Amino acid sequence: MASTAAPKDAPQHPPAADGKTFFGHPRGLATLFMTEMWERFSFYGMRALLVLYLTAAVAEGGMGMASATAVALYSVYNATVYLMAMPGGWLGDRVWGPRKTVAISAFVIMIGHALLATGVDALFFAGLVFIGVGSGLLKANISTMVGHLYAGPNDPRRDGGFTVFYMGINIGAFAAPLLIGWAGQKVSWHLGFGLAAVGMALGLIQFLIGTRHLAPQSNVVPQPLDATDRNKAIRNTVIAAVVAAVFYAAVVLADAFTIDWVLWPLSIAGLVLPTYYFVRMRRDRDVTEDERKKLSGYLWFFIAAAIFWMIFDQSGSTLNLFAEKSTATDLFGIEFPTSWFQSVNPLWVMIIAPLLAALWVKLGSRNPATTTKFSFGLIGIGVSFGVMMLAIASASGGDKVTPLWLITVYLLQTVAELCLSPVGLSVTTKLAPAKYASQLMGVWFLAVTAGDCVFAIVQLVLGDAASGKTGFAVQGVLAALAGFVFLAARKRINPLLGSVK
């Protein structure tokens, strides 16, 4: 059971008795690396199949859903996964501590994937709920535990540690479509989902075995609830659940229920909640003036990240459908299932990430500022959708285009991602107020929620036009312009960050 207070002089990371490290980093990074790898294996395997399964004809074992609805559902579902990172961070900060929260979440995710594999529609959607809740609990806390392994925010190994951790994410994401995607498309959809459950089970087992290498701080509840706060939290949760149950029961009884009754409320919530959390943190009297100033600077990074993820996360939806309908599935004489395109981005990450990590270290004091790296990320993701617009134009005659179009798009997106995502994880741990260490990491993931919800709303309003040539062009221009604005504003943003560079 987690203790309720950290010893004042506790070390930031436990020294290895045998002197061993993990690529020069604390050994606990290996445990977190493997846990995240298996969790991403299960999640990205499921994600590679989700839209394809939803849109596949019923005769082919799918659900026969319209493309626009499936894309909106995918976007909202992906948003919900990251939305749950906020209560996940709260549970880590106030109830269980990060380590226990990760263990519980891994178990919940495993059950969710097992439900997807049953072949029962009602259990399939219940499984998505389990995965969404579990992933949210895990995300904020496991990244916080990576930060615990290092001696403060200015430890020179810290950014490199997050880059190594990011490699674990991408190894899992790369392997998942190759195995789970192939099993799902070539053998049985539900066999694919079942393999995702097995992957998460392996991740849970190795996490429980390797916890002895984690920082003692990860087993601490930073701000434990007192009896009053606990009762208030339980009461509010029960009230919210009852209100939602009554509302949806009334809609169903009125024979008015459609999937839009789920998609619209969640999309709006994904935009309202980040605003609420920022306001609440800044008004908290326990947050110091310096921490409040850093939160103001952090807001710029949040908005930039939301724009970035709005585009990047379409790899599993609009780009996946473009691959299915308009892209040839053979390259150099090798035939492959559509879902294998989902392995291209993580493959590029594994090739490019070590090169960029080495470059950041080599540059030393000349290393680009965090604001500059974010600007590069936004401009790069915008350019990728410019290329995507050209790919759609090439396929307008009905012929399937070469896979090299998507491979190029994913290359550009990968470089952009590596300029923004691992740096964003690191800067979040550096700028977080002491009281909200895990919860601000939850807010970082809400940037994904906000971006996905914006696109879900656009998809619900415009339908398939949102993912046409014009739609891609508008999104690309928006992202590139945002990148140049962010770059121009860096002199205004950097003073808000204090000593954080």
Side-chain angles (χ1 to χ4, degrees):
M1 183 175 179
S3 59
T4 57
K8 290 184 179 179
D9 299 322
Q12 287 289 334
H13 57 84
D18 55 9
K20 292 182 179 179
T21 63
F22 181 65
F23 295 106
H25 295 271
R27 285 188 68 184
L29 184 61
T31 296
L32 301 176
F33 174 97
M34 294 294 292
T35 304
E36 185 73 352
M37 183 192 77
W38 283 114
E39 189 273 333
R40 293 291 84 184
F41 174 86
S42 63
F43 180 79
Y44 278 95
M46 177 275 294
R47 198 181 85 152
L49 293 177
L50 184 56
V51 168
L52 301 177
Y53 172 69
L54 293 174
T55 56
V58 175
E60 299 172 354
M63 288 193 171
M65 193 176 288
S67 295
T69 304
V71 169
L73 175 58
Y74 168 90
S75 297
V76 170
Y77 173 68
N78 207 53
T80 303
V81 169
Y82 291 91
L83 179 65
M84 293 305 299
M86 197 66 223
W90 181 84
L91 286 169
D93 280 341
R94 308 298 305 275
V95 182
W96 292 325
R99 189 183 302 184
K100 187 175 181 180
T101 306
V102 167
I104 292 171
S105 65
F107 179 77
V108 172
I109 294 168
M110 180 185 68
I111 296 300
H113 286 294
L115 291 175
L116 299 189
T118 61
V120 178
D121 286 355
L123 293 180
F124 181 88
F125 288 107
L128 291 179
V129 173
F130 271 70
I131 298 167
V133 171
S135 296
L137 266 64
L138 185 140
K139 275 185 171 301
N141 291 282
I142 197 167
S143 296
T144 297
M145 287 196 290
V146 174
H148 289 164
L149 296 171
Y150 298 94
N154 294 315
D155 188 323
R157 301 173 301 167
R158 192 182 184 96
D159 279 6
F162 273 99
T163 299
V164 171
F165 176 70
Y166 209 67
M167 288 291 287
I169 294 174
N170 286 281
I171 290 172
F174 169 73
L178 299 181
L179 181 58
I180 294 174
W182 174 84
Q185 287 191 275
K186 298 299 185 180
V187 183
S188 163
W189 296 109
H190 303 292
L191 174 61
F193 296 131
L195 290 176
V198 173
M200 192 66 257
L202 293 173
L204 174 59
I205 291 169
Q206 75 81 36
F207 177 77
L208 296 176
I209 293 172
T211 51
R212 66 186 183 276
H213 298 303
L214 301 177
Q217 189 179 352
S218 71
N219 207 33
V220 171
V221 181
Q223 297 286 332
L225 292 173
D226 57 28
T228 300
D229 288 338
R230 186 179 297 272
N231 291 336
K232 181 180 178 181
I234 293 172
R235 182 179 66 251
N236 290 345
T237 301
V238 171
I239 290 174
V242 169
V243 169
V246 170
F247 174 79
Y248 281 105
V251 172
V252 171
L253 289 173
D255 198 27
F257 182 81
T258 66
I259 194 66
D260 285 0
W261 282 100
V262 176
L263 299 181
W264 274 102
L266 287 175
S267 297
I268 293 170
L271 300 177
V272 171
L273 287 177
T275 304
Y276 164 76
Y277 283 122
F278 267 114
V279 171
R280 193 187 72 174
M281 287 182 187
R282 292 195 82 260
R283 291 183 176 178
D284 192 323
R285 294 181 179 179
D286 292 335
V287 174
T288 67
E289 185 60 34
D290 180 63
E291 289 175 333
R292 193 171 288 112
K293 184 179 177 182
K294 289 179 178 178
L295 282 174
S296 297
Y298 186 73
L299 182 59
W300 284 83
F301 294 99
F302 180 90
I303 294 172
I307 296 171
F308 176 88
W309 294 116
M310 177 186 71
I311 292 178
F312 185 87
D313 270 355
Q314 292 179 49
S315 61
S317 57
T318 58
L319 299 192
N320 210 6
L321 289 176
F322 178 79
E324 175 75 3
K325 298 175 181 178
S326 303
T327 305
T329 53
D330 66 272
L331 187 63
F332 306 125
I334 301 173
E335 292 279 348
F336 53 89
T338 304
S339 54
W340 280 20
F341 278 107
Q342 297 302 299
S343 289
V344 175
N345 165 252
L347 177 60
W348 280 128
V349 170
M350 289 187 288
I351 294 171
I352 299 171
L355 301 177
L356 274 184
L359 176 63
W360 302 148
V361 172
K362 185 176 179 62
L363 288 173
S365 60
R366 296 173 295 161
N367 200 335
T370 302
T371 48
T372 303
K373 292 176 182 176
F374 261 64
S375 299
F376 292 164
L378 284 169
I379 294 168
I381 201 74
V383 171
S384 79
F385 260 32
V387 174
M388 194 64 214
M389 179 187 68
L390 298 176
I392 293 174
S394 298
S396 59
D399 295 330
K400 291 195 172 186
V401 299
T402 172
L404 294 176
W405 280 109
L406 282 176
I407 291 172
T408 302
V409 168
Y410 287 133
L411 170 61
L412 293 169
Q413 293 191 349
T414 299
V415 175
E417 176 191 8
L418 290 170
C419 288
L420 184 142
S421 188
V423 177
L425 287 171
S426 183
V427 79
T428 298
T429 63
K430 293 176 182 179
L431 297 178
K435 182 176 179 180
Y436 295 105
S438 289
Q439 291 184 62
L440 193 68
M441 187 59 72
V443 169
W444 165 253
F445 291 119
L446 284 182
V448 184
T449 295
D452 284 345
C453 285
V454 168
F455 184 69
I457 291 172
V458 171
Q459 189 74 39
L460 288 169
V461 173
L462 299 180
D464 289 334
S467 53
K469 183 170 63 175
T470 302
F472 278 107
V474 170
Q475 293 177 74
V477 169
L478 171 65
L481 284 176
F484 286 113
V485 169
F486 200 82
L487 189 63
R490 66 189 184 281
K491 291 183 179 179
R492 178 179 177 182
I493 300 169
N494 287 335
L496 299 174
L497 309 183
S499 61
V500 175
K501 302 302 180 183

